[in-house]
Amino acid sequence: MKSLVELEPHYDEMTDLQKAVYGTTLAEQLIDNVRFIYEYQEYLEKDPVIYLDFAIEYYQNKDSRKNAYCYLAKGMLYKEKRLYKDATENLLEALEHSNHFTNNNFSGLLYFQLGSLAAFQNDREKSLEYYLKGIDFYRLEGNTEGEAKIQNSLSWLYTALERDEEALAASQQALQLTNDPIRKGDALLDIGNSYFFLNQLDSALYYARLSLEYPYISTTQAARYKKIANIYAYINNYDSAYHYAKIALEYPIDIYFESECYSLLSTIAADRGNKSEMIYYLNLMKATQDSIIKIESQPNMHILEQIRLSDKKTLQVTAQRSYLLYAIIFIVLISNLIVIRLYRNHQQKKERSKCI
C-alpha cells in the first residue's frame, strides 16, 4: 500500500497497462487489508474508484478475476459511504465475475459484504443466507479469522431476529476463533450485547466494559461506549449513562449510534428538568434521523437483484430473438438459392430442348 501511495502522483504518466495494474493492485490491497477501507482518504489524493474504474474498463472481457477484485473493492468503498445502490450493483458484478474462477477467501469476503449490506437494509433472511455461505467458503479455506468476522456480524443479526441464544453462541464462537485483538474486542462487546437481551445485566456490563481494553478501528470504540451507556440507562443509573454516551460521541461514530446517543441524552436532560439541554439534543437527534431517512430511502438489495435479473432475462430474450431472426434469414437465403438453382436448371433444360 505504501508503494501505491508513493506512485499515485505519477499515475498520469503511466501507460494504459501500468494504470490497469495499478488499479487491480489497489483493489487487492483494499480487499486484503479491509481496515484500509476506513482510512484510505488519509493517504490517497484521489478517490480510489477512479483507478478501479480504469482497470475494469481495461480488463473488460479479458480477465474476470481482475474485474471481480475491482468490483468487490468498489462495492466495499460504496458500502462504507452508505451508498447502497452503488454498493449492491458492484458487489453483484463481483459475484457474477467470480463464477469464472475459484478463490474461497474471495468468495467468503464477497458473501460477508453482501450479507452486511442486506443487514443494513433490514433484509434479514437474505443477510443470514449470505453470511452462512460466507462461513462455508471460509471453512473450506480454513480461514478462522474470516469466519470470526462473520460470526461477529451473525451475533447482531440473530439479536435482530430475536434469537438471543444463537446470538450469544455466535459471539462466543467468534471469540474462540480469532487471534486479532481488535476482533476480540468486538466479540466481547457482542457477548455483552447478547447478555443484555438475555436480561443478564451484570454479565452484559462486564463484557461491554472488558471490550474497552482492546484496540479498535472505525466506529467500534463508540459502539462499545454506547452499549455501556444503554446498560446503565436500563438500570436507571442515569449519571453513568450520561457519562458514557458523551464519551461515545467523542469518537468516530456510526450515524445510527449517534442518533441513539442524542436520544438517550435528551431523555436524561428531560429527567433532570434541563429543558434547554433537552431541546439541544432533540434537535441533534432530528438532524441524524433526517440523514437516516435518506439512507433508508435507497432501493434495497432485493429490488436491485430483481431489476438485474429482469435486465438479464430481457437481454437473453433479445439475444434469442436475434438468433431466431438470423436463423430465419439464413433459411430464407438458402431457400432462395435452391429455388434459383432449380430455376436455372429448368431454364437450361428448356434451352437444350430448343437446340434439339
Side-chain angles (χ1 to χ4, degrees), residues 279-320:
I279 293 172
Y280 172 73
Y281 285 121
L282 282 174
N283 286 332
L284 289 174
M285 184 179 71
K286 182 183 181 302
T288 57
Q289 289 179 340
D290 289 344
S291 298
I292 288 170
I293 289 171
K294 291 179 182 178
I295 290 170
E296 294 183 345
S297 65
Q298 300 177 80
N300 65 28
M301 180 178 286
H302 177 73
I303 292 172
L304 293 171
E305 280 186 313
Q306 293 303 311
I307 292 172
R308 187 178 182 84
L309 184 61
S310 176
D311 289 345
K312 188 177 290 187
K313 286 182 177 178
T314 301
L315 287 172
Q316 289 174 342
V317 170
T318 303
Q320 289 170 354

Coordinates of all heavy atoms in Angstrom, one line a residue, residues 279-320:
I279 N -33.8 20.2 24.5 CA -34.1 20.7 23.2 C -32.9 20.6 22.3 O -33.0 20.3 21.1 CB -34.6 22.2 23.2 CG1 -36.0 22.2 24.0 CG2 -34.7 22.8 21.9 CD1 -36.5 23.6 24.3
Y280 N -31.7 20.9 22.8 CA -30.5 20.9 22.1 C -30.2 19.5 21.5 O -30.0 19.3 20.3 CB -29.3 21.3 23.0 CG -27.9 21.1 22.4 CD1 -27.5 21.9 21.4 CD2 -27.1 20.1 22.9 CE1 -26.2 21.7 20.9 CE2 -25.9 19.9 22.3 CZ -25.4 20.7 21.3 OH -24.1 20.5 20.8
Y281 N -30.4 18.5 22.4 CA -30.1 17.1 21.9 C -31.3 16.6 21.0 O -31.0 15.8 20.1 CB -29.9 16.2 23.1 CG -28.6 16.3 23.8 CD1 -28.5 16.7 25.1 CD2 -27.4 16.2 23.0 CE1 -27.2 16.9 25.7 CE2 -26.1 16.4 23.6 CZ -26.1 16.7 25.0 OH -24.8 16.9 25.5
L282 N -32.5 17.0 21.2 CA -33.6 16.6 20.4 C -33.3 17.2 18.9 O -33.6 16.5 18.0 CB -34.9 17.2 20.9 CG -35.5 16.4 22.1 CD1 -36.7 17.1 22.6 CD2 -35.9 15.0 21.6
N283 N -32.8 18.4 18.8 CA -32.5 18.9 17.5 C -31.4 18.2 16.8 O -31.5 17.9 15.6 CB -32.1 20.4 17.6 CG -33.3 21.3 17.9 OD1 -34.5 21.0 17.6 ND2 -33.1 22.4 18.6
L284 N -30.4 17.8 17.6 CA -29.3 17.0 17.0 C -29.8 15.6 16.6 O -29.5 15.1 15.5 CB -28.2 16.8 18.0 CG -27.4 18.1 18.3 CD1 -26.4 17.8 19.5 CD2 -26.6 18.5 17.1
M285 N -30.7 15.0 17.4 CA -31.3 13.7 17.0 C -32.1 13.8 15.8 O -32.1 13.0 14.9 CB -32.2 13.2 18.2 CG -32.7 11.8 17.9 SD -33.8 11.2 19.3 CE -35.2 12.3 19.2
K286 N -32.9 14.9 15.6 CA -33.7 15.1 14.4 C -32.8 15.2 13.2 O -33.1 14.6 12.1 CB -34.6 16.4 14.5 CG -35.5 16.6 13.3 CD -36.2 17.9 13.5 CE -37.2 18.0 12.2 NZ -36.4 18.0 11.0
A287 N -31.7 15.9 13.3 CA -30.8 16.0 12.2 C -30.2 14.7 11.7 O -30.2 14.4 10.5 CB -29.6 17.0 12.5
T288 N -29.9 13.8 12.7 CA -29.4 12.5 12.4 C -30.5 11.6 11.8 O -30.2 10.9 10.8 CB -28.8 11.8 13.6 OG1 -29.8 11.7 14.6 CG2 -27.6 12.5 14.1
Q289 N -31.7 11.8 12.3 CA -32.8 11.0 11.8 C -33.1 11.4 10.3 O -33.5 10.5 9.5 CB -34.0 11.1 12.7 CG -33.8 10.4 14.0 CD -35.0 10.5 14.9 OE1 -35.8 11.4 14.8 NE2 -35.1 9.6 15.9
D290 N -33.0 12.7 10.0 CA -33.2 13.1 8.6 C -32.2 12.4 7.7 O -32.6 12.0 6.6 CB -33.1 14.6 8.5 CG -34.2 15.4 9.2 OD1 -35.3 14.7 9.4 OD2 -34.1 16.6 9.5
S291 N -31.0 12.3 8.2 CA -29.9 11.6 7.4 C -30.2 10.2 7.2 O -30.1 9.6 6.2 CB -28.6 11.8 8.0 OG -28.2 13.2 8.0
I292 N -30.7 9.6 8.3 CA -31.1 8.1 8.3 C -32.2 7.9 7.3 O -32.2 6.8 6.6 CB -31.4 7.7 9.7 CG1 -30.2 7.6 10.6 CG2 -32.1 6.3 9.7 CD1 -30.4 7.4 12.1
I293 N -33.2 8.7 7.3 CA -34.3 8.6 6.3 C -33.8 8.6 4.9 O -34.2 7.8 4.1 CB -35.3 9.7 6.5 CG1 -36.1 9.5 7.9 CG2 -36.3 9.7 5.4 CD1 -37.0 10.7 8.3
K294 N -32.8 9.4 4.6 CA -32.3 9.5 3.2 C -31.5 8.2 2.9 O -31.6 7.6 1.8 CB -31.3 10.6 3.1 CG -32.0 12.0 3.1 CD -30.9 13.1 3.0 CE -31.6 14.5 3.0 NZ -30.6 15.6 3.0
I295 N -30.8 7.6 3.9 CA -30.1 6.4 3.8 C -31.1 5.2 3.5 O -30.9 4.4 2.6 CB -29.2 6.1 5.0 CG1 -28.1 7.0 5.1 CG2 -28.7 4.6 5.0 CD1 -27.3 7.0 6.4
E296 N -32.1 5.2 4.3 CA -33.1 4.1 4.2 C -34.0 4.2 3.0 O -34.8 3.2 2.7 CB -33.8 4.0 5.5 CG -32.9 3.6 6.7 CD -33.6 3.4 8.0 OE1 -34.8 3.8 8.1 OE2 -33.0 2.8 8.9
S297 N -34.1 5.4 2.4 CA -35.0 5.5 1.2 C -34.3 5.0 -0.1 O -35.0 4.9 -1.1 CB -35.3 7.0 1.0 OG -34.2 7.8 0.7
Q298 N -33.1 4.6 0.0 CA -32.4 4.0 -1.2 C -33.0 2.6 -1.5 O -33.5 1.9 -0.6 CB -30.9 3.8 -0.9 CG -30.2 5.1 -0.6 CD -28.7 4.8 -0.2 OE1 -27.9 4.7 -1.1 NE2 -28.4 4.8 1.1
P299 N -33.1 2.3 -2.8 CA -33.6 1.0 -3.2 C -32.8 -0.1 -2.5 O -31.6 -0.1 -2.5 CB -33.5 1.0 -4.7 CG -32.4 2.0 -5.0 CD -32.6 3.0 -4.0
N300 N -33.5 -1.1 -2.0 CA -32.8 -2.2 -1.3 C -32.3 -3.3 -2.2 O -32.6 -3.3 -3.4 CB -33.7 -2.8 -0.1 CG -34.9 -3.5 -0.7 OD1 -34.9 -4.1 -1.8 ND2 -35.9 -3.6 0.1
M301 N -31.5 -4.2 -1.6 CA -30.8 -5.2 -2.4 C -31.8 -6.1 -3.2 O -31.5 -6.4 -4.4 CB -29.9 -6.0 -1.5 CG -29.2 -7.1 -2.2 SD -28.1 -8.1 -1.1 CE -26.8 -6.9 -0.8
H302 N -32.9 -6.4 -2.6 CA -33.9 -7.3 -3.2 C -34.4 -6.7 -4.5 O -34.5 -7.4 -5.6 CB -35.0 -7.6 -2.3 CG -36.1 -8.5 -2.9 ND1 -35.9 -9.8 -3.1 CD2 -37.3 -8.2 -3.4 CE1 -37.0 -10.3 -3.7 NE2 -37.9 -9.3 -3.8
I303 N -34.7 -5.4 -4.5 CA -35.2 -4.7 -5.6 C -34.2 -4.7 -6.7 O -34.4 -4.9 -7.9 CB -35.7 -3.3 -5.3 CG1 -36.9 -3.3 -4.4 CG2 -36.0 -2.5 -6.5 CD1 -37.3 -2.0 -3.8
L304 N -32.9 -4.3 -6.4 CA -31.9 -4.2 -7.3 C -31.5 -5.6 -8.0 O -31.2 -5.7 -9.1 CB -30.6 -3.6 -6.7 CG -30.7 -2.2 -6.3 CD1 -29.5 -1.7 -5.5 CD2 -30.9 -1.3 -7.5
E305 N -31.6 -6.7 -7.1 CA -31.4 -8.0 -7.7 C -32.5 -8.4 -8.7 O -32.2 -8.9 -9.8 CB -31.4 -9.0 -6.5 CG -30.1 -9.1 -5.8 CD -30.1 -10.2 -4.8 OE1 -31.1 -10.3 -4.0 OE2 -29.2 -11.0 -4.7
Q306 N -33.7 -8.0 -8.4 CA -34.8 -8.3 -9.3 C -34.7 -7.5 -10.6 O -34.9 -8.0 -11.7 CB -36.2 -8.0 -8.6 CG -36.5 -8.9 -7.5 CD -36.5 -10.3 -7.9 OE1 -37.2 -10.7 -8.9 NE2 -35.9 -11.2 -7.1
I307 N -34.3 -6.2 -10.5 CA -34.0 -5.4 -11.7 C -32.9 -6.0 -12.5 O -33.0 -6.1 -13.8 CB -33.7 -4.0 -11.3 CG1 -34.9 -3.3 -10.7 CG2 -33.2 -3.2 -12.5 CD1 -34.6 -1.9 -10.1
R308 N -31.9 -6.5 -11.9 CA -30.7 -7.1 -12.6 C -31.1 -8.3 -13.3 O -30.8 -8.6 -14.4 CB -29.6 -7.3 -11.5 CG -28.3 -7.8 -12.2 CD -27.2 -8.0 -11.1 NE -26.0 -8.4 -11.7 CZ -25.1 -7.5 -12.1 NH1 -25.3 -6.2 -12.1 NH2 -24.0 -8.0 -12.7
L309 N -31.9 -9.2 -12.6 CA -32.4 -10.4 -13.1 C -33.3 -10.2 -14.3 O -33.2 -10.8 -15.3 CB -33.1 -11.3 -12.1 CG -33.6 -12.6 -12.5 CD1 -32.4 -13.5 -12.9 CD2 -34.4 -13.3 -11.3
S310 N -34.2 -9.2 -14.2 CA -35.1 -8.8 -15.3 C -34.3 -8.3 -16.5 O -34.6 -8.7 -17.6 CB -36.1 -7.7 -14.8 OG -36.9 -7.3 -15.8
D311 N -33.3 -7.5 -16.2 CA -32.5 -7.0 -17.3 C -31.8 -8.1 -18.0 O -31.7 -8.1 -19.3 CB -31.5 -6.0 -16.8 CG -32.1 -4.6 -16.4 OD1 -33.2 -4.4 -16.8 OD2 -31.4 -3.9 -15.7
K312 N -31.3 -9.1 -17.2 CA -30.6 -10.2 -17.8 C -31.5 -11.1 -18.7 O -31.1 -11.5 -19.8 CB -29.9 -11.1 -16.7 CG -29.0 -12.2 -17.2 CD -28.4 -12.9 -16.1 CE -27.4 -12.1 -15.4 NZ -26.6 -12.9 -14.4
K313 N -32.7 -11.3 -18.2 CA -33.7 -12.0 -18.9 C -34.1 -11.3 -20.2 O -34.2 -11.9 -21.3 CB -35.0 -12.3 -18.1 CG -34.8 -13.3 -17.0 CD -36.1 -13.6 -16.2 CE -35.9 -14.6 -15.2 NZ -37.1 -14.8 -14.4
T314 N -34.2 -10.0 -20.1 CA -34.5 -9.2 -21.3 C -33.4 -9.3 -22.4 O -33.7 -9.5 -23.6 CB -34.7 -7.7 -21.0 OG1 -35.7 -7.6 -20.0 CG2 -35.0 -6.9 -22.2
L315 N -32.2 -9.3 -21.9 CA -31.0 -9.5 -22.8 C -31.0 -10.8 -23.4 O -30.8 -11.0 -24.6 CB -29.7 -9.2 -22.1 CG -29.4 -7.8 -21.7 CD1 -28.2 -7.7 -20.8 CD2 -29.1 -7.0 -23.0
Q316 N -31.4 -11.9 -22.6 CA -31.4 -13.2 -23.1 C -32.5 -13.4 -24.2 O -32.3 -14.0 -25.2 CB -31.6 -14.2 -22.0 CG -30.4 -14.4 -21.1 CD -30.7 -15.2 -19.9 OE1 -31.9 -15.5 -19.5 NE2 -29.7 -15.7 -19.2
V317 N -33.7 -12.8 -23.9 CA -34.8 -12.9 -24.8 C -34.5 -12.2 -26.1 O -34.7 -12.6 -27.2 CB -36.1 -12.3 -24.2 CG1 -37.2 -12.1 -25.3 CG2 -36.6 -13.2 -23.1
T318 N -33.8 -11.0 -25.9 CA -33.4 -10.2 -27.1 C -32.4 -11.0 -28.0 O -32.5 -11.0 -29.2 CB -32.8 -8.9 -26.7 OG1 -33.7 -8.1 -25.9 CG2 -32.3 -8.0 -27.9
A319 N -31.4 -11.6 -27.3 CA -30.4 -12.4 -28.0 C -31.1 -13.6 -28.7 O -30.8 -13.9 -29.8 CB -29.4 -12.9 -27.0
Q320 N -32.0 -14.3 -28.0 CA -32.7 -15.4 -28.6 C -33.5 -15.0 -29.8 O -33.5 -15.7 -30.8 CB -33.7 -16.0 -27.5 CG -33.0 -16.8 -26.4 CD -33.9 -17.2 -25.3 OE1 -35.1 -16.8 -25.3 NE2 -33.4 -18.0 -24.4

